[in-house]
Each structure stands twice: as structure tokens, then as C-alpha cells.
Amino acid sequence: TVAAGEQSYANACSSCHGRNTVPAAGATAPDLRYSALIKSAEQFNRVTVDGERVSRGMPGFKAILREGEADAILAYIIKRANDEKAAQQMSR
């Protein structure tokens, strides 16, 4: 699931949210590893699939993402968030 999510993220999300979930310098899209959206699959899907935040510049991807693809993307982002947290703890 995580590997599939990584591929889907690269195709649908990375241009705004950054490669490997790390936004490039000057990016306007948030770093999803620190987003409150990753705490709720339902909320994540409302934003990414249904377009709940289209007025804030985040389009919905209902026409692009296949069934379950948003869940795989979420699993990938959560893994990246956990990897980041572990790296921070190791550097202390």
C-alpha cells in the first residue's frame, strides 16, 4: 500500500507538495508530514478527493484518483511523517 501510495503521490501531489513530501524552497503548498489531515482518513479524503478546500487552492482529485488511491497516498504520507519523526529523535 505504501509503495503504491508513493507512486500515486509522485503523480498527483509532488508538483505542489514536494518530492518525497518535502516542499521545495518557496513552495506555497504545506508540508503534508505535519498536516492535521493525516490524522483522519475521512478528512483527508474530503480534501483530496472531494475538493473541500478548492477555495483555498487545493483541488479535488475525484476524476483522477482511482478507488483506494487516496488511502494509499495517505499511508505513504504517514510513513514519511513517521520517518521524519524517527530521524529527529535520532539526532537528539
Side-chain angles (χ1 to χ4, degrees), residues 3-88:
E6 181 177 10
Q7 183 62 46
S8 296
Y9 176 91
N11 293 334
C13 312
S14 65
S15 61
C16 295
H17 291 282
R19 186 172 172 255
N20 298 321
T21 71
V22 181
T28 57
D31 186 331
L32 296 176
R33 297 172 301 169
Y34 301 99
S35 174
L37 291 177
I38 67 173
K39 295 178 182 178
S40 166
E42 182 181 314
Q43 180 66 26
F44 183 82
N45 285 324
R46 283 198 310 261
V47 171
T48 59
V49 177
D50 299 333
E52 187 176 83
R53 293 188 181 173
V54 71
S55 65
R56 293 169 52 186
M58 172 62 195
F61 287 86
K62 187 175 233 162
I64 296 169
L65 297 177
R66 297 179 308 273
E67 182 73 30
E69 202 167 0
D71 293 330
I73 292 170
L74 178 58
Y76 170 66
I77 294 168
I78 290 170
K79 181 192 181 311
R80 294 287 296 135
N82 289 335
D83 291 348
E84 174 68 14
K85 183 178 179 180
Q88 288 176 357

